[in-house]
Amino acid sequence: MAYQTFATPAVRPTDIHARVAALRARFDSLGVDGVVVPHENAYQSEYLPASEERLHQMTGFSGSAGRAVILRDSALFETDGRYALQAKAQVPGDLFTIVSTADDARTFLKEHLDGLRLGYDPSLHARASVERLSATVETVTLVPLSPHPMDGLWLDRPASICAPVRAHPPHLAGRSTAQKLDDIRAAMGHDALLIAAADTVTWLFNWRGGDVAHTPLVLARAFVPKDGPVTLFLDESKLDDMLRSGISGIATLAPAADYPAALTELSDGLTVEADPQGTSEAALAAIEAGGTLVASPDPAARLKAIKNPAEVAGMRDAHQRDGVAMAHFLAWFDEHAVGKTEIDCVKSLEAFRRDVGARDISFDTIAGAGPNGAIIHYRVDEASNRVIAEGDVVLIDSGGQYDDGTTDITRTLVAGTPSDAFRINFTRVLKGHIALARQRFPVGATGAELDTLARAALWNAGFDYAHGTGHGVGAALAVHEAPPGISKKGRAPIEPGMIVSNEPGDYHEGAYGIRIENLVLVLEPAVPPGGLKPMLSFETLTLAPIDTRLVAPHILSPAEIGWLDAYHVRVLGALSGDVAPEARAWLTARCKPIADIAG
């Protein structure tokens, strides 16, 4: 069975127009002048089960970030720079004003929301997003509507998934649930903590699930008091007897349907911490109805992101096997790419990952040939599937879910001989990638402080990319993991044990895209030779060649060439003993020093 499907998204423009018209027809009975349709579900998730894809059904947009504001005579569709081209292709421009920057969204809202009553479902919006909307237009009146009025218009809505939970074994988890709870309680500053993020709850209980495609989440929330059992909100049918017995004395189960109302009683007389960035307005209001809310970052999320030695070892092992799969795929691409399709590439890579033990992919593979590669989060389907021609640039962003780790890697390939202009552009991206990979930085440095390093070579040439440079990655968990991130908005400190991506890019609309991505582990601080202060640094975990045939060596410094050559020595040493003989010959050629690329 394939890890992903390629069916063309089924929402037709006529369906979108009909749903928008039907929603508008309900405004008077709802007492509103408009309604917000978010991408997020009640778990504030990035990746959603099909039953929660409200924004897709209402707008046609199939990406993982966006919202719509539908008013009586106008409508806004907002996303970010990753999805600017995709939104233009999927969302009806005759119905929505489509924007991909926060400034443009604010301009629309200020012009259209003054004095209006705007409906929203408090269970689907994090409080921070509600507060930002109120701050943008102080004269708007936000009207809670639950359930979301769109739900009544979605007649063919898929059934919810209720996947069984499996245990994540102790030798991979590294710490027991009881030990993790001790760590969390030591980090708490008040009577109780609400953990609303499903990936954090999944990590805490050493579980893995299947409620969301490609991300082994168990959709659950946890109310953690300073003392006594945790209250765990989830569908109890997901747990077998052994898993139930495993949490005996640690947690009591509460039906998922009781959330968030039960929080009022649980919070009675207590001061409760919760993160307004990732917790619904409905949940926080329920806490406030019973106790005192302290809005603060979830300390459990930070603890999750700092991998323990067992998790680090698992991630290293997963990346070694994933590197074998990538070597086989890249060798296959070199021989067969011309005349194959994007879907052929995805299926080939899936097969190689399955051969090395992948349980799943970690997200739908991005395989963009030519102009499709300029769509930052492109997803191939049967309608968009492009045949690879001689000379095409192909961007492959993919990852695997293994029992011991999660991978995410991007390689930019050329089916044939690259042009000199392309090699210059590729090398600028490579310079940014190497700059970040080599950088030492002080304890307490944030992602925003590191982000500029990866952009400098592009900025100097008059280019930039409309996405972050790096995101956190879970250990056999979510491929996008908060709180770490390397971006212009990255405010969380980058700490030892965190794993983040390093993925600068360059995109030329209508032509091609370039991205080079490895995952890196943050190492413990050490004083550099001759220095005075301990500095953090990165260890690259990903093991796959970066095609030196695409490089313009004359714009690399000796230090950059040294990094690239040393990286390829590591790759060859790690993979050569495990790849097939034909792939070994290819791998040896691709890992030669940069000075040998002419040969």
Side-chain angles (χ1 to χ4, degrees):
M1 180 179 176
Y3 290 136
Q4 72 183 75
T5 62
F6 306 99
T8 303
V11 183
R12 300 171 298 179
T14 52
D15 295 332
I16 296 168
H17 280 75
R19 287 190 180 120
V20 169
L23 183 62
R24 284 170 168 160
R26 297 191 62 195
F27 284 179
D28 285 343
S29 63
L30 295 170
V32 298
D33 302 299
V35 168
V36 183
V37 184
H39 172 266
E40 292 77 17
N41 65 350
Y43 290 86
Q44 282 66 60
S45 300
E46 177 183 13
Y47 297 113
L48 305 177
S51 59
E52 298 296 322
E53 289 278 8
R54 294 175 181 82
L55 187 65
H56 179 218
Q57 292 297 314
M58 188 59 75
T59 68
F61 177 72
S62 61
S64 65
R67 69 173 173 180
V69 178
I70 299 171
L71 307 175
R72 294 182 186 274
D73 300 313
S74 61
L76 168 73
F77 180 84
E78 177 189 0
T79 187
D80 60 40
R82 297 172 297 167
Y83 291 112
L85 297 180
Q86 180 176 334
K88 289 179 182 178
Q90 292 183 325
V91 178
D94 60 338
L95 195 57
F96 292 90
T97 298
I98 302 169
V99 302
S100 58
T101 71
D103 286 344
D104 287 342
R106 280 192 291 269
T107 297
F108 179 97
L109 296 173
K110 288 178 179 178
E111 290 177 352
H112 291 82
L113 291 186
D114 183 29
L116 299 187
R117 293 172 57 82
L118 185 65
Y120 78 105
D121 184 342
S123 71
L124 304 182
H125 293 262
R127 171 163 288 183
S129 70
V130 176
E131 290 175 342
R132 284 192 295 269
L133 183 56
S134 294
T136 299
V137 186
E138 294 180 357
T139 57
V140 71
T141 299
L142 297 180
V143 180
L145 302 172
S146 189
H148 194 283
M150 187 262 166
D151 292 357
L153 307 175
W154 192 358
L155 302 180
D156 56 349
R157 185 177 182 181
S160 298
I161 295 173
C162 185
V165 176
R166 56 186 167 88
H168 192 54
H171 73 280
L172 297 177
R175 290 180 70 75
S176 68
T177 296
Q179 289 172 320
K180 291 178 180 179
L181 274 172
D182 286 344
D183 295 340
I184 291 169
R185 284 171 167 147
M188 289 164 51
H190 299 89
D191 300 324
L193 167 70
L194 174 64
I195 303 177
D199 64 332
T200 305
V201 177
T202 303
W203 163 84
L204 169 58
F205 284 90
N206 290 333
W207 290 341
R208 296 298 184 267
D211 291 336
V212 178
H214 315 317
T215 304
L217 296 182
V218 179
L219 291 180
R221 293 98 160 190
F223 185 88
V224 182
K226 266 287 191 183
D227 299 295
V230 173
T231 300
L232 186 60
F233 295 92
L234 85 165
D235 188 325
E236 190 174 346
S237 66
K238 298 177 183 180
L239 303 180
D240 61 24
D241 291 341
M242 184 172 294
L243 291 173
R244 283 194 190 90
S245 66
I247 62 172
S248 177
I250 295 174
T252 59
L253 299 175
D258 287 358
Y259 182 89
L263 293 176
T264 299
E265 182 176 348
L266 288 169
S267 304
D268 186 30
L270 302 181
T271 300
V272 182
E273 300 174 50
D275 186 353
Q277 298 293 336
T279 307
S280 72
E281 170 64 27
L284 297 188
I287 291 172
E288 289 169 329
T292 301
L293 173 69
V294 175
S296 63
D298 181 353
R302 172 182 169 272
L303 294 170
K304 166 181 54 69
I306 298 172
K307 312 301 185 286
N308 63 51
E311 291 171 321
V312 170
M315 289 290 275
R316 286 197 178 108
D317 290 345
H319 277 84
Q320 197 279 334
R321 295 194 303 281
D322 203 65
V324 171
M326 285 298 302
H328 286 131
F329 169 74
L330 294 171
W332 173 90
F333 183 93
D334 254 13
E335 183 175 355
H336 300 291
V338 175
K340 297 293 185 181
T341 67
E342 295 166 340
I343 290 178
D344 291 331
C345 289
V346 175
K347 289 181 175 180
S348 174
L349 183 48
E350 282 189 1
F352 288 125
R353 281 204 165 99
R354 190 177 286 109
D355 288 344
V356 298
R359 181 181 282 269
D360 197 350
I361 54 178
S362 54
F363 55 95
D364 283 336
T365 299
I366 298 167
N372 288 342
I375 303 171
I376 295 171
H377 273 201
Y378 170 72
R379 182 188 182 281
V380 59
D381 59 42
E382 292 165 354
S384 69
N385 189 28
R386 182 180 172 90
V387 176
I388 299 170
E390 179 75 30
D392 270 356
V393 177
V394 184
L395 189 154
I396 308 282
D397 186 348
S398 67
Q401 288 286 10
Y402 299 86
D403 285 339
D404 50 3
T406 301
T407 70
D408 184 0
I409 173 175
T410 307
R411 290 296 181 263
T412 304
L413 314 172
V414 174
T417 304
S419 68
D420 289 342
F422 172 83
R423 291 170 73 228
I424 293 292
N425 291 339
F426 181 89
T427 307
R428 289 193 191 105
V429 176
L430 178 60
K431 286 172 74 71
H433 181 96
I434 294 173
L436 186 57
R438 294 179 61 235
Q439 187 63 44
R440 291 187 173 100
F441 51 99
V443 174
T446 66
E449 292 174 283
L450 296 173
D451 182 73
T452 304
L453 296 164
R455 300 179 190 269
L458 290 162
W459 283 356
N460 286 335
F463 298 94
D464 199 3
Y465 48 93
H467 58 78
T469 297
H471 55 82
V473 178
L477 203 51
V479 74
H480 288 173
E481 178 179 80
I486 301 175
S487 73
K488 297 172 184 178
K489 298 179 180 179
R491 298 293 179 260
I494 304 299
E495 301 187 62
M498 291 179 170
I499 294 173
V500 296
S501 64
N502 172 4
E503 50 179 311
D506 184 25
Y507 307 91
H508 298 254
E509 185 174 354
Y512 59 80
I514 301 168
R515 187 157 66 248
I516 303 169
E517 177 186 16
N518 288 339
L519 299 191
V520 296
L521 167 69
V522 185
L523 299 179
E524 293 289 340
V527 178
L532 295 176
K533 293 185 177 182
M535 294 286 162
L536 301 170
S537 60
F538 291 122
E539 173 195 335
T540 297
L541 298 178
T542 304
L543 297 167
I546 297 169
D547 197 341
T548 50
R549 294 169 296 183
L550 311 186
V551 175
H554 66 281
I555 66 171
L556 291 178
S557 70
E560 290 167 338
I561 291 172
W563 182 92
L564 188 59
D565 287 347
Y567 175 67
H568 283 138
V569 168
R570 272 190 63 213
V571 169
L572 182 62
L575 303 182
S576 60
D578 294 318
V579 297
E582 60 273 17
R584 189 177 303 122
W586 175 90
L587 183 67
T588 301
R590 296 283 62 82
C591 290
K592 288 180 179 179
I594 194 77
D596 295 345
I597 63 171

